[in-house]
């Protein structure tokens, strides 16, 4: 079969195939995590991001190649999770911009779009690292440009790109020593090649792809009956939709919609505007939006009914009260990503306005972060990601919002807590950000968890199920006993400038376990203050804050 041009229908099928193949191989990609800790989620994040792209494509009423690519870009932008998901969304954004509004595309068009995809992703990362998904994307793009003029068959063209992309992927361990030590290729690069392979398979087999996998990640709602007063709800319909438009005056459009309700969020991307509003007249809002372009992904919920029959995700039943649905307009609002009942309570005590459930293995999406921003009514909003894999999504949400949003790049729960202790609601934003960043620099984070696979790091062999003590990207202690590993880890972490150790103990441990550890630490570090707190975090026996 020879294919010289790809139309929108075929491109749609390619995207669905990419999402399906990513979903089928996500656990293999997760297992490529360099650190053998139970939070390898690159495959999961890329799969969820691609599923979000496909859901947006399925909402299209008509298909041409350019519109399909733009829908994928828009969906991935909102659904991006983790660093790998954000980079994937940027690749799709550049790819869509490269295709513009083309009805059909040939190999030259595809090559140019792949090059713009790579360029866009590189620009989105402050300090690009070679040997990652970026390198694989660039390799594919450069090779595509090289062969596009001589290869006009799209099928052969894609096959050759995939073959070369896998060649680049297999060389990533030579570019990043940490990959070579762990004996793995880059997980993000592997995810990208799975997406390209899935796209290729979909357009060559001719078989229809079942879409059940798209909904496989959606949690079934649990209905909780509560007697909640609904008389105070001024605007009864939560209305959300996307406008396919290149209209750029978002501020003017926002002002026009403001008269119809409150809780208004208007964010724009390449070729779309996403709207969220609470209103009593959803029809009038939709009519106003139709003046700008076609609508899709329309969702209208009766909030009075929802408040009487509260619906939450199965995993969030115990977290219903962890969020404040609204806060009064004030100088500062703080959003924190957190996991664990006890850690949530600590953040509440430190006056966090909105807690987003998430962390290791459950990174919130850009849209989750945007919804939190929308809920917090404050002059200045500070986001604490508390995980290095959430910072890019937080930055992306900030860029999409019209509010004054600041992302403090906290990479752990202890960093988030220290930043909040340094926060002063009476101080101006610049001084607060400076003080909070300084506080982060004074705290060290240590964690005790278990190994999920055999590996070798820095010449040290690690076996599956070993207890390991880590800080940042270093494994400092290995053993079979949680307490012994914790003691060894802290001995290596504590220095002459340290004076306080805070212990957050997680699910699977009892308070007496943590108190026993605390007693031993008090004997070992006589002049230290030792604090024990219930964290309730999964996967990690202990999280330590050392100051």
């Amino acid at each position: 079969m020879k294919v010289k041009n790809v139309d929108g229908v075929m491109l749609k099928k390619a995207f669905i195939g990419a999402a399906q193949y990513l979903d089928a191989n996500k656990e293999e990609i997760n297992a490529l995590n360099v650190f053998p800790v139970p939070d390898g989620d690159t495959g999961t994040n890329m799969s969820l991001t691609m599923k979000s792209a496909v859901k947006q494509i399925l909402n299209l009423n008509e298909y041409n190649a350019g519109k399909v690519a733009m829908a994928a870009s828009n969906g991935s932008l909102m659904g991006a999770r983790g660093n790998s998901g954000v980079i994937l969304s940027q690749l799709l954004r550049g790819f869509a911009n490269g295709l513009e509004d083309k009805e059909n595309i040939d190999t030259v068009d595809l090559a140019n779009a792949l090059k713009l995809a790579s360029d866009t992703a590189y620009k989105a990362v402050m300090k690009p690292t070679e040997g990652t998904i970026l390198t694989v994307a660039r390799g594919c793009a450069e090779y595509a440009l090289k062969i596009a003029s001589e290869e006009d068959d799209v099928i052969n063209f894609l096959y050759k790109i995939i073959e070369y992309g896998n060649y680049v992927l297999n060389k990533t361990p030579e570019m990043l020593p940490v990959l070579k030590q762990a004996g793995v290729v880059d997980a993000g690069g592997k995810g990208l090649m799975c997406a390209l392979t899935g796209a290729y398979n979909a357009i060559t087999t001719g078989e229809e792809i079942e879409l059940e996998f798209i909904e496989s990640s959606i949690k079934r709602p649990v209905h909780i009956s509560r007697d909640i007063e609904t008389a105070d709800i001024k605007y009864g319909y939560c209305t959300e939709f996307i406008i396919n438009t290149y209209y750029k005056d978002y501020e003017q459009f926002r002002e026009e919609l403001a008269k119809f309700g409150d809780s208004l969020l208007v964010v724009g991307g390449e070729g779309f505007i996403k709207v969220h509003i609470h209103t009593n007249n959803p029809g009038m809002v939709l009519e106003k939006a139709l003046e700008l372009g076609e609508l899709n992904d329309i969702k209208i919920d009766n909030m009075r009914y929802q408040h009487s029959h509260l619906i939450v995700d199965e995993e969030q039943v115990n977290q219903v009260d962890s969020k404040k649905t609204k806060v009064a307009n004030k100088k500062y609002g703080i959003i924190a990503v957190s996991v664990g009942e006890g850690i949530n309570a600590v953040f509440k005590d430190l006056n966090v306005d909105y807690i987003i459930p998430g962390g290791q293995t459950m990174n919130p999406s850009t849209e989750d972060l945007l919804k939190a921003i929308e809920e917090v009514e404050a002059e200045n909003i500070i986001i604490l990601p508390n995980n290095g894999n959430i910072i890019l999504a937080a930055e992306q949400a900030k860029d999409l919002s019209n509010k004054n949003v600041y992302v403090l790049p906290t990479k752990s729960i202890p960093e988030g807590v220290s930043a909040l202790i340094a926060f002063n609601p009476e101080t101006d934003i610049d001084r607060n950000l400076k003080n909070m960043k300084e506080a982060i620099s004074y705290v060290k984070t240590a964690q005790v968890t278990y190994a999920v696979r055999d590996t070798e790091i820095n010449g040290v062999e690690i076996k599956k199920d070993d207890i390991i003590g880590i800080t940042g990207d270093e494994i400092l202690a290995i053993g079979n006993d949680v307490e012994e590993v914790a003691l060894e880890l802290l001995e290596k972490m504590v220095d002459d400038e340290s004076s306080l150790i805070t212990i957050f103990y997680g699910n699977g441990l009892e308070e007496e376990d943590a108190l026993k550890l605390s007693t031993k630490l008090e004997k070992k570090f006589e002049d230290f203050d030792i604090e024990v707190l219930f964290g309730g975090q999964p996967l990690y026996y202990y999280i330590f804050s050392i100051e």
Side-chain angles (χ1 to χ4, degrees):
M1 177 177 70
K2 186 170 184 177
V3 177
K4 287 194 172 184
N5 288 284
V6 174
D7 60 13
V9 173
M10 183 176 286
L11 189 59
K12 168 192 170 185
K13 189 173 183 180
F15 274 114
I16 294 173
Q20 184 188 47
Y21 201 72
L22 256 178
D23 187 63
N25 289 276
K26 63 187 177 185
E27 294 304 330
E28 179 185 347
I29 299 167
N30 288 342
L32 295 174
N33 188 31
V34 171
F35 257 31
V37 294
D39 56 5
D41 48 11
T42 298
T44 300
N45 284 336
M46 293 184 76
S47 173
L48 290 172
T49 301
M50 187 60 81
K51 284 183 181 181
S52 184
V54 169
K55 287 176 186 176
Q56 197 63 42
I57 292 172
L58 296 176
N59 286 325
L60 288 175
N61 295 321
E62 59 175 294
Y63 296 103
N64 71 24
K67 286 186 177 180
V68 169
M70 189 58 71
S73 170
N74 295 344
S76 68
L77 185 70
M78 290 298 180
R81 297 171 187 266
N83 294 341
S84 57
V86 172
I87 292 173
L88 177 59
S89 75
Q90 292 299 316
L91 287 169
L92 293 179
R93 179 185 177 190
F95 184 77
N97 288 340
L99 297 184
E100 296 177 345
D101 196 27
K102 294 180 182 291
E103 286 284 343
N104 301 291
I105 52 179
D106 57 21
T107 57
V108 173
D109 294 325
L110 282 170
N112 290 330
L114 288 171
K115 179 62 167 64
L116 190 53
S118 173
D119 292 346
T120 303
Y122 264 91
K123 289 176 183 176
V125 179
M126 187 171 293
K127 294 181 180 180
T129 301
E130 296 304 331
T132 65
I133 182 176
L134 294 173
T135 305
V136 177
R138 191 185 68 222
C140 289
E142 291 176 348
Y143 188 73
L145 287 171
K146 182 179 178 180
I147 66 171
S149 60
E150 61 191 46
E151 181 57 80
D152 63 352
D153 181 1
V154 172
I155 302 299
N156 287 339
F157 178 71
L158 288 177
Y159 180 85
K160 291 177 180 179
I161 290 173
I162 292 168
E163 192 174 48
Y164 187 78
N166 282 322
Y167 165 75
V168 176
L169 175 65
N170 289 330
K171 289 181 70 67
T172 55
E174 302 301 321
M175 304 177 204
L176 273 180
V178 68
L179 294 176
K180 190 170 186 178
Q181 280 189 8
V184 296
V185 296
D186 179 67
K190 176 67 174 179
L192 177 60
M193 294 316 301
C194 281
L196 290 173
T197 300
Y200 173 83
N201 291 343
I203 63 176
T204 54
T205 61
E207 297 176 4
E208 288 299 318
I209 300 174
E210 298 294 334
L211 294 175
E212 285 83 354
F213 77 96
I214 291 292
E215 301 300 327
S216 64
S217 62
I218 304 300
K219 303 177 185 71
R220 294 181 179 179
V222 176
H223 295 258
I224 303 176
S225 297
R226 290 190 175 182
D227 295 324
I228 300 177
E229 181 58 53
T230 61
D232 292 334
I233 299 177
K234 185 177 180 181
Y235 297 103
Y237 296 93
C238 177
T239 305
E240 296 181 66
F241 53 88
I242 289 176
I243 313 170
N244 293 324
T245 179
Y246 284 94
Y247 183 77
K248 295 294 185 183
D249 195 349
Y250 308 138
E251 291 295 332
Q252 176 62 32
F253 184 57
R254 189 179 294 110
E255 289 177 11
E256 292 176 7
L257 290 188
K259 61 187 177 184
F260 293 113
D262 63 9
S263 297
L264 177 61
L265 178 67
V266 177
V267 295
E270 297 291 341
F272 80 101
I273 297 176
K274 184 174 179 65
V275 176
H276 172 283
I277 186 172
H278 293 173
T279 181
N280 287 327
N281 299 289
M284 295 175 68
V285 172
L286 295 177
E287 284 183 18
K288 196 70 182 173
L290 280 168
E291 295 175 8
L292 302 186
E294 295 181 350
L295 307 185
N296 57 51
D297 211 7
I298 300 171
K299 181 182 177 185
I300 301 173
D301 292 321
N302 185 330
M303 293 190 297
R304 294 185 176 95
Y305 178 81
Q306 283 187 328
H307 276 67
S308 298
H309 303 81
L310 187 62
I311 300 176
V312 295
D313 285 341
E314 197 165 8
E315 291 182 1
Q316 295 175 321
V317 172
N318 297 322
Q319 299 171 344
V320 172
D321 296 321
S322 71
K323 303 178 184 179
K324 296 181 181 178
T325 56
K326 277 290 179 185
V327 295
N329 201 328
K330 54 183 182 176
K331 186 174 181 179
Y332 289 107
I334 297 177
I335 297 168
V337 180
S338 173
V339 59
E341 180 185 347
I343 293 171
N344 289 347
V346 170
F347 281 133
K348 284 184 190 177
D349 290 342
L350 292 171
N351 297 314
V352 168
D353 297 290
Y354 195 106
I355 293 174
I356 303 176
Q360 307 290 17
T361 74
M362 47 185 292
N363 300 152
S365 68
T366 299
E367 187 163 18
D368 292 333
L369 290 152
L370 264 175
K371 286 181 177 178
I373 292 170
E374 185 274 329
E375 288 291 329
V376 176
E377 294 180 351
E379 182 182 341
N380 302 290
I381 297 173
I382 300 172
I383 301 179
L384 304 175
N386 300 328
N387 186 297
N389 206 32
I390 300 174
I391 294 173
L392 274 182
E395 291 284 358
Q396 191 154 274
K398 178 193 77 172
D399 292 341
L400 288 169
S401 173
N402 64 303
K403 295 185 177 182
N404 295 325
V405 180
Y406 305 87
V407 177
L408 201 70
T410 51
K411 296 181 179 179
S412 67
I413 295 299
E415 287 187 4
V417 171
S418 292
L420 288 169
I421 292 172
F423 172 74
N424 182 349
E426 304 302 322
T427 302
D428 65 75
I429 182 64
D430 290 337
R431 174 67 63 178
N432 260 321
L433 291 174
K434 180 180 178 181
N435 291 343
M436 295 168 85
K437 286 178 182 177
E438 189 174 344
I440 292 171
S441 69
Y442 292 141
V443 65
K444 292 186 286 187
T445 300
Q447 300 168 310
V448 177
T449 184
Y450 59 92
V452 294
R453 60 179 170 82
D454 295 349
T455 190
E456 182 177 322
I457 295 180
N458 295 327
V460 178
E461 284 192 12
I462 299 170
K463 298 295 184 183
K464 184 177 182 295
D465 298 325
D466 278 352
I467 306 300
I468 53 177
I470 64 176
T471 179
D473 56 0
E474 292 184 84
I475 297 178
L476 299 183
I478 305 168
N480 298 312
D481 182 80
V482 172
E483 184 180 278
E484 289 178 3
V485 169
L487 289 169
E488 182 183 348
L489 172 65
L490 289 170
E491 278 184 358
K492 293 179 178 179
M493 292 285 296
V494 168
D495 56 30
D496 293 339
E497 296 180 358
S498 307
S499 61
L500 169 65
I501 298 175
T502 303
I503 303 170
F504 296 92
Y505 65 94
N507 284 337
L509 291 180
E510 300 295 334
E511 183 180 17
E512 62 183 274
D513 297 320
L515 291 175
K516 183 182 174 184
L517 174 62
S518 173
T519 299
K520 292 188 176 183
L521 288 173
E522 286 171 354
K523 292 179 180 178
K524 188 176 291 289
F525 306 110
E526 295 180 356
D527 297 329
F528 276 56
D529 292 322
I530 312 291
E531 186 175 10
V532 176
L533 297 172
F534 171 61
Q537 69 274 6
L539 306 177
Y540 286 74
Y541 301 109
Y542 289 113
I543 297 175
F544 299 109
S545 174
I546 306 162
E547 299 176 74

